[in-house]
Amino acid sequence: MAILNILEFPDSRLRTIAKPVAVVDDKVRQLVDDMFETMYEAPGIGLAATQVNVHQRVVVMDLSEDRSEPRVFINPEFEPLTDEMGEYQEGCLSVPEFYENVERPVRVKIKALDRDGKPYDLIAEGLLAVCIQHECDHLNGKLFVDYLSTLKRDRIKKKLEKKHRQQA
Ligand code: QAP
Ligand code: CO
């Protein structure tokens, strides 16, 4: 197991479109394990491979209080089941310490492969629906800050760039 480096906005590598996983083999399972370790250590509730600079369609998530419900989504896809939109204050490990409201469809159907490569589907509402849409965006090179006004996004960009300069 290993803790991986998490890319931070406005790193251009976060704009990469991830490739579908062709075969769920031990190498992919190793990536999944490393992503869980990285997410739990952060700590976060969801992580897409894009965020650790691996451009394959892999997402890990654990929405439980006690970190007891690891979920794996390989090649995830979702479709909204309603026009109803809901607002949620989102954060992101790649945009540390910034939280803003984002509107998304409240109910979605998810299709994905599990860590054995077996297809499954489920209907998601609430935080799970928000999180899978947020993580699928990452795999398409999109971040929650892209839903904000240019003004808000640019303020966040400048603050993070300043932080990165100070760290260098
Ligand atoms: C994505 O986000 C998400 O700013 C997962 O300083 C978030 O795990 C989906 C985190 C909200 C739906 C709703 C953020 C940790 C973790 C930070 C995360 C931070 C430390 C974010
Ligand atoms: Co994120």
Side-chain angles (χ1 to χ4, degrees), residues 23-109:
V23 187
V24 181
D25 56 13
D26 285 347
K27 193 153 177 254
V28 173
R29 281 184 281 273
Q30 179 66 59
L31 170 65
V32 164
D33 289 345
D34 290 346
M35 286 173 63
F36 273 117
E37 194 177 8
T38 304
M39 180 186 78
Y40 286 137
E41 196 259 350
I45 59 171
L47 185 70
T50 308
Q51 295 177 273
V52 294
N53 201 29
V54 176
H55 301 290
Q56 297 191 52
R57 303 187 82 83
V58 176
V59 165
V60 299
M61 199 186 294
D62 190 335
L63 305 178
S64 70
E65 288 288 337
D66 59 353
R67 320 309 247 151
S68 63
E69 291 164 30
R71 296 173 186 265
V72 177
F73 303 87
I74 296 168
N75 300 341
E77 288 177 35
F78 72 87
E79 70 174 89
L81 292 176
T82 170
D83 293 336
E84 191 192 335
M85 304 289 278
E87 202 170 56
Y88 196 93
Q89 190 171 56
E90 297 189 19
C92 180
L93 288 168
S94 295
V95 191
E97 287 171 44
F98 292 91
Y99 305 88
E100 295 287 346
N101 285 335
V102 175
E103 265 198 11
R104 301 185 189 269
V106 297
R107 192 149 24 91
V108 296
K109 181 175 172 177

